[in-house]
Amino acid sequence: MTSTSTRELFQRALELVRSAPLDGARRVPAFAFRSSDRAPRPGSGAVAGLAGDLWDTAARIHAGDISPADVLGASEAQVRDYDRRYGAFEHIDHGSFSAPAGDRSLPLHGIPVTVKDVIHVAGMPTTGSSIAIPPFHAATDAAAVARLRAAGASIVGKVVTHEFALGVTTPQSRNPWDERRVPGGSSGGSAISVLTGMALGSLGTDTRASIRVPAALCGLVGFKPSYGRVPVDEWLTLSWSLDHFAPMARSVRDVASLMDILAGHPGAWTGGLPGSLEGVRVGSARAFLTGCEPGVVAAFEAALAAARAAGATIVPVDDALTDADLDLANAVGMVLSRAEAAQFHIEAGTDFSRCIPEVRDQLTAARHLLATDYLRALRLRGQLRDRLVRAFEGADVVAMPTSKVVAPFREDADQYLLVLSANCIPWSLVDFPAISVFAGLSEGLPVGLQLVGSPGADRPLLAIAHAFERVLPTPPEWSPA
């Protein structure tokens, strides 16, 4: 895809926003949605816990079986071996690999964690993986980073992003499963750092698909919580009404451990595990399979079959989720996020001419949007939310492939602006919690299964995802080719 066709994608999105029917002149603009957790539906049975690397390592540190120095030393060794090869870090804090002082009983004591280079970390530069703005050296941590530190985590560095988090491929980096392919984005550095053992968890962001796509393409778990569940502040803004801070790790239990800290409620997230599929209603719609690669479809259908065998019921939700809904959600999400990004970067003094072509063209096109276009997109956002929530009238979660294809080749990356993220964008737009878990392999590359919960049902969603994880294939151990 050329840069010209990138502009055409934005123009088509704008035309769809301008032409899509609204359900009435009194429809008000929708900004951010906030909902409280709903209680999970009762079910019988339980699934035994699945321990992940972060969970296991923290438990062994607390028991005195291993030392934080050993863990951080191993992390530093992986950085030395693999950072340059795969392109993970923008900034490495070498001092953070020293054994931490303090209370060994802290939940993340000695656990190495990376932070995406759009989130401010005190004393480290924030660049957004771009030369279009001068690096900003933060004096204070973002609240989410401060919570990780207070829990004992060692912030070992800032990891790369698709420029300004405005894309889904992170084309400057390489997927450790196959160096010829992209890791996904925009939190590509987060995925590389966790997959290769440079870190045991990462704090990224998700505006349209940015935590879930790289998790899917790299065989990890990425969770987009509800808007504001993890505090969003002190960051290089992409879209003020859509940006979510979001964790990535190797397992659902590891993600729950991070959410205990990031959401400020220790034990609340891991306390909902183990999960069960007995009696769970899993929604599925044909629209999410449109354009999927055969291997992705096969992995998805196998995941539904495994859930059915574990006691779940698969229910069709095609009436509430159509191809037209997905097309409109993609268009509305692009118009809103790019308009908000353009405004931020105009005020920040970003030199658009120094951005990569894909980002430059989108920001340039968005700066000429009419206010009426932006407000109409906000109205359509609320309308879509009212429509999509109907999918949960008969389902506890809705399932779909996270991405319709496996990791693309790097030279083809600019052809996948919408393909990789098509199934993810609606849920950020309307603020439903969503998680990607490993579903299997297609041609030796990871496939992700995305599970979406109803508004505010973050913790029930994690419990169901944990139960899915127990019946899905175990990710193979990664090793460099």
PDB file of all heavy atoms in Angstrom, residues 10 69 215 290 311 317:
ATOM      1  N   PHE A  10      -8.356   6.954   4.690  1.00  0.00           N
ATOM      2  CA  PHE A  10      -8.930   7.951   5.584  1.00  0.00           C
ATOM      3  C   PHE A  10     -10.106   8.662   4.910  1.00  0.00           C
ATOM      4  O   PHE A  10     -11.147   8.903   5.547  1.00  0.00           O
ATOM      5  CB  PHE A  10      -7.864   8.970   6.003  1.00  0.00           C
ATOM      6  CG  PHE A  10      -8.366   9.975   7.005  1.00  0.00           C
ATOM      7  CD1 PHE A  10      -8.355   9.684   8.358  1.00  0.00           C
ATOM      8  CD2 PHE A  10      -8.887  11.196   6.593  1.00  0.00           C
ATOM      9  CE1 PHE A  10      -8.834  10.588   9.277  1.00  0.00           C
ATOM     10  CE2 PHE A  10      -9.374  12.106   7.515  1.00  0.00           C
ATOM     11  CZ  PHE A  10      -9.342  11.807   8.859  1.00  0.00           C
ATOM     12  N   ALA A  69      17.785 -10.794  42.174  1.00  0.00           N
ATOM     13  CA  ALA A  69      19.007 -10.600  41.387  1.00  0.00           C
ATOM     14  C   ALA A  69      19.102 -11.624  40.270  1.00  0.00           C
ATOM     15  O   ALA A  69      19.519 -11.311  39.149  1.00  0.00           O
ATOM     16  CB  ALA A  69      20.231 -10.680  42.296  1.00  0.00           C
ATOM     17  N   ALA A 215      -0.303  -8.933  20.760  1.00  0.00           N
ATOM     18  CA  ALA A 215      -0.449 -10.140  21.581  1.00  0.00           C
ATOM     19  C   ALA A 215      -0.837 -11.321  20.710  1.00  0.00           C
ATOM     20  O   ALA A 215      -0.300 -12.426  20.847  1.00  0.00           O
ATOM     21  CB  ALA A 215      -1.495  -9.915  22.673  1.00  0.00           C
ATOM     22  N   THR A 290     -15.243 -12.794   7.997  1.00  0.00           N
ATOM     23  CA  THR A 290     -15.118 -12.280   6.631  1.00  0.00           C
ATOM     24  C   THR A 290     -13.666 -11.895   6.359  1.00  0.00           C
ATOM     25  O   THR A 290     -13.079 -11.082   7.066  1.00  0.00           O
ATOM     26  CB  THR A 290     -16.025 -11.053   6.428  1.00  0.00           C
ATOM     27  OG1 THR A 290     -17.380 -11.415   6.690  1.00  0.00           O
ATOM     28  CG2 THR A 290     -15.899 -10.525   5.006  1.00  0.00           C
ATOM     29  N   GLY A 311     -18.420 -27.250  28.426  1.00  0.00           N
ATOM     30  CA  GLY A 311     -19.680 -26.857  29.048  1.00  0.00           C
ATOM     31  C   GLY A 311     -20.263 -25.547  28.591  1.00  0.00           C
ATOM     32  O   GLY A 311     -21.323 -25.141  29.070  1.00  0.00           O
ATOM     33  N   VAL A 317     -24.961 -14.401  17.186  1.00  0.00           N
ATOM     34  CA  VAL A 317     -25.334 -13.011  17.465  1.00  0.00           C
ATOM     35  C   VAL A 317     -25.232 -12.183  16.184  1.00  0.00           C
ATOM     36  O   VAL A 317     -24.912 -10.996  16.210  1.00  0.00           O
ATOM     37  CB  VAL A 317     -24.445 -12.410  18.582  1.00  0.00           C
ATOM     38  CG1 VAL A 317     -24.743 -13.064  19.918  1.00  0.00           C
ATOM     39  CG2 VAL A 317     -22.959 -12.541  18.241  1.00  0.00           C
TER      40      VAL A 317
END
